[in-house]
């Protein structure tokens, strides 16, 4: 049945052809499943659909921050809008969920660009399968021929008087209306909705079979069946704020203000010799601190699990050993985030210690590290093992430079360093040192955003 609301007077009056002039055969069955209603999105609440927002003088942007595939597709569209609206224009982007059924989540992004007194509004509808990460736009879900079919429906509705119009749109005029409205079309439990904003109405094709591609059909079926949405995962807890004290349970048992403590740290692994190093540390009953490379963690998760199981502390040393002050904010964050994700995937606890490659810091890098919830751990003894690659020299350098409260930098990716470890441990113990992890050295707690080189 067709439902026409009053108040649509003369909305197609710009189009010259009077509807009476047209004669038509009986409409095909598709025309039966049409409803005309006010253009109004049903309110939909999707739990954990968090927002990414950006605001500066010219723009206020909000788009879905997750799931990842939807966030990326949204961001790409937003960037296109920003590229168009330049030179004194202001832009506002908002979004609203429009569909959540089965694994499918749909959102409508709306960009409003204002320049002087001109206002331009653009809509974009995106869908994602939250299980597979596939994303679609309307043109992926709705067949290319749909505007022509929808234009026929509009003309038919006008002709039969279902739409209250004084004049009948031409084929071209009706298609133009539909094409400009297609970006806002969306799939709901009642069918395919085509909003016609300038007319304050929307046409719903309640029996839209034949208008969809295969992907569109699957999505429309889930919507029509009102399938329960599979839901979004709960977002990870936000990282501890700068200035927060992080405590390491059990790491406060040694009093390094009284004892002659020293922390051995191993960077850039896990590598092929790391398991051998773990064997040595186990026989010597020494716990160390490892600053690992995310890419290596992904290759050797079992070595990381062993580090954790044997009481060592694992810190983040970026994904690809990037020199962070030379990188963009986005890259800095992804270098750190990806590594933590890899550690979590390997079964390690979320690291709270970070060591920048080359010890390279800048004001911005420090700010990002703090914002992501890490304390920075540098060192006060560089054994230069990476440079000498010589077991004897590494042993000599370590024993000569060790001071109480110190942090020693070594690299477990070098076999010569691993070869040197037993002699280093024996030598340091002989000098009365207690070998501890970095959290133990620092009294069992660190402050987010701080930079530590030693205990002095
Ligand atoms: Ni390094």
């Amino acid at each position: 049945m067709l439902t026409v609301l009053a108040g649509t007077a003369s909305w197609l009056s710009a189009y010259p052809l009077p509807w009476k002039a047209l004669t038509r055969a009986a409409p095909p069955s598709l025309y039966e499943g049409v409803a005309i209603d006010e253009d109004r999105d049903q309110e939909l609440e999707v739990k954990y659909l968090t927002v990414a927002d950006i605001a500066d003088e010219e723009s206020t942007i909000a788009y879905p921050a997750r799931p990842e595939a939807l966030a990326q597709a949204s961001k790409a569209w937003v960037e296109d809008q920003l590229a168009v609206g330049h030179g004194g224009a202001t832009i506002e982007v908002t979004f609203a969920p429009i569909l959540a059924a089965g694994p499918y989540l749909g959102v409508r992004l709306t960009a409003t660009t204002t320049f002087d007194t001109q206002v331009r509004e653009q809509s974009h509808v995106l869908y994602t399968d939250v299980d597979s990460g596939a994303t679609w736009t309307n043109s992926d879900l709705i067949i290319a021929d749909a505007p022509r079919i929808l234009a026929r429906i509009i003309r038919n509705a006008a002709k039969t008087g279902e739409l209250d119009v004084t004049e009948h749109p031409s084929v071209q005029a009706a298609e133009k209306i539909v094409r400009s409205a297609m970006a806002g079309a969306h799939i709901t439990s009642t069918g395919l909705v085509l909003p016609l904003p300038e007319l304050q109405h929307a046409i719903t094709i309640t029996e839209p079979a034949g208008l969809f591609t295969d992907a569109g059909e699957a999505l429309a079926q889930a919507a029509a069946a009102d399938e329960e949405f599979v839901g979004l995962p709960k977002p990870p807890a936000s990282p501890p704020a700068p200035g927060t004290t992080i405590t390491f349970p059990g790491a406060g048992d040694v009093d390094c203000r009284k004892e002659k403590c020293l922390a051995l740290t191993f960077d850039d692994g896990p590598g092929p010799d790391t398991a051998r190093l773990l064997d040595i540390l186990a026989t010597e009953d020494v716990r160390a601190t490892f600053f690992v490379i995310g890419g290596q963690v992904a290759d050797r998760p079992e070595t990381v699990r062993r580090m954790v199981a044997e009481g060592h502390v694992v810190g983040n040393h970026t994904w690809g050993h990037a020199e962070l002050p030379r990188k963009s904010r986005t890259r800095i964050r992804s270098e750190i985030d990806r590594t933590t994700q890899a550690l979590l995937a390997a079964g390690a606890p979320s690291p709270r210690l970070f060591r920048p490659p080359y010890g390279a810091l800048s004001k911005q890098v420090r700010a990002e590290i703090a914002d992501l919830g890490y304390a920075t751990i540098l060192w006060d003894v560089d054994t230069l093992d990476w440079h000498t690659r010589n077991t004897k020299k590494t042993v000599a350098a370590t024993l000569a430079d060790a001071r109480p409260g110190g942090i020693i930098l070594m690299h477990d990716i070098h076999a010569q360093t691993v070869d040197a470890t037993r002699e280093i441990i024996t030598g340091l113990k002989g000098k009365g040192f207690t070998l501890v992890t970095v959290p133990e050295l620092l009294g069992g707690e660190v402050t987010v955003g701080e930079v530590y080189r030693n205990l002095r």
Side-chain angles (χ1 to χ4, degrees):
M1 284 302 288
L2 294 181
T3 320
V4 180
L5 295 180
T8 43
S10 74
W11 60 269
L12 288 175
S13 58
Y15 302 102
L17 196 57
W19 67 267
K20 279 177 206 148
L22 280 145
T23 51
R24 245 190 183 293
S29 64
L30 180 62
Y31 294 22
E32 300 295 322
V34 173
I36 296 165
D37 205 343
E38 281 181 64
D39 182 13
R40 186 176 52 201
D41 279 343
Q42 58 191 116
E43 294 208 359
L44 194 62
E45 213 175 292
V46 177
K47 207 176 173 190
Y48 305 136
L49 184 59
T50 51
V51 183
D53 46 342
I54 310 163
D56 59 25
E57 280 164 25
E58 285 87 37
S59 49
T60 316
I61 312 286
Y63 61 89
R66 57 210 305 268
E68 182 64 20
L70 186 64
Q72 291 303 327
S74 301
K75 187 164 168 265
W77 185 77
V78 166
E79 278 165 1
D80 286 349
Q81 301 310 303
L82 291 174
V84 175
H86 58 84
T90 59
I91 183 163
E92 185 188 13
V93 178
T94 57
F95 80 95
I98 50 167
L99 176 77
Y104 303 111
L105 175 65
V107 295
R108 178 205 308 286
L109 291 148
T110 306
T112 310
T113 311
T114 309
F115 184 70
D116 281 343
T117 55
Q118 291 179 8
V119 181
R120 189 184 70 127
E121 196 172 282
Q122 294 279 104
S123 272
H124 190 57
V125 174
L126 282 168
Y127 299 94
T128 191
D129 177 331
V130 301
D131 289 338
S132 74
T135 60
W136 303 280
T137 63
N138 272 336
S139 53
D140 302 316
L141 302 184
I142 302 170
I143 60 166
D145 205 29
R148 210 174 52 77
I149 298 165
L150 293 168
R152 277 213 312 266
I153 290 172
I154 285 191
R155 294 181 77 231
N156 187 66
K159 181 192 149 200
T160 56
E162 310 289 343
L163 277 173
D164 183 13
V165 292
T166 52
E167 287 178 291
H168 196 289
S170 68
V171 172
Q172 291 84 353
E175 268 198 50
K176 201 174 155 212
I177 292 173
V178 171
R179 285 191 193 280
S180 70
M182 278 309 284
H186 59 105
I187 296 165
T188 71
S189 56
T190 48
L192 176 66
V193 178
L194 182 69
L196 302 166
E198 69 272 35
L199 312 172
Q200 277 114 47
H201 275 72
I203 292 184
T204 303
I205 315 303
T206 55
E207 286 160 35
L211 287 175
F212 297 122
T213 61
D214 288 350
E217 193 57 45
L219 207 139
Q221 276 177 16
D226 258 330
E227 279 181 31
E228 194 187 340
F229 181 48
V230 296
L232 293 175
K234 196 174 170 186
S238 47
T244 307
T245 301
I246 295 171
T247 45
F248 292 79
D253 298 351
V254 195
D255 187 352
C256 291
R257 292 271 170 210
K258 291 190 181 139
E259 287 191 46
K260 214 173 143 186
C261 292
L262 201 56
L264 298 181
T265 67
F266 295 93
D267 287 13
D268 300 356
D273 292 290
T274 305
R276 192 158 62 87
L277 173 60
L278 290 172
D279 293 342
I280 297 169
L281 294 172
T283 27
E284 296 296 331
D285 196 21
V286 168
R287 248 64 60 200
T289 306
F290 290 87
F291 290 96
V292 296
I293 292 295
Q296 312 262 87
V297 170
D299 290 344
R300 292 190 173 81
E302 69 292 343
T303 308
V304 172
R305 277 193 287 277
R306 207 185 138 191
M307 288 173 183
V308 174
E310 295 177 8
H312 304 292
V313 172
V314 182
N316 183 322
H317 193 45
T318 74
W319 181 264
H321 213 267
E323 194 180 342
L324 298 180
R326 304 168 67 94
K327 304 297 178 192
S328 69
R329 175 176 187 267
T330 313
R331 174 73 186 277
I332 294 168
R333 294 178 81 94
S334 83
E335 284 280 338
I336 300 173
D337 279 343
R338 280 182 80 189
T339 303
T340 290
Q341 290 310 319
L343 282 170
L344 293 175
S350 188
R352 296 272 61 104
L353 305 182
F354 177 75
R355 174 172 281 173
Y358 316 102
L361 288 169
S362 64
K363 205 174 152 201
Q364 198 207 356
V365 170
R366 280 194 62 169
E368 299 303 340
I369 296 167
D371 194 47
L372 293 172
Y374 299 87
T376 297
I377 308 298
L378 298 176
W379 57 87
D380 68 352
V381 175
D382 185 351
T383 59
L384 296 175
D385 63 333
W386 54 275
H387 180 67
T388 60
R389 307 275 184 99
N390 179 297
T391 301
K392 273 203 169 75
K393 284 182 180 169
T394 300
V395 173
T398 310
L399 297 182
D401 294 340
R403 304 274 179 281
I407 298 176
I408 295 181
L409 168 67
M410 290 186 277
H411 297 82
D412 52 317
I413 48 165
H414 302 308
Q416 298 90 338
T417 299
V418 174
D419 294 341
T421 308
R422 196 182 299 273
E423 206 178 329
I424 287 171
I425 292 171
T426 315
L428 291 173
K429 281 179 175 171
K431 287 181 158 204
F433 282 105
T434 301
L435 300 178
V436 295
T437 63
V438 167
E440 285 173 328
L441 184 81
L442 300 175
E445 54 182 51
V446 296
T447 304
V448 171
E450 275 299 313
V451 179
Y452 300 87
R453 285 184 176 79
N454 52 41
L455 181 65
R456 291 182 293 269

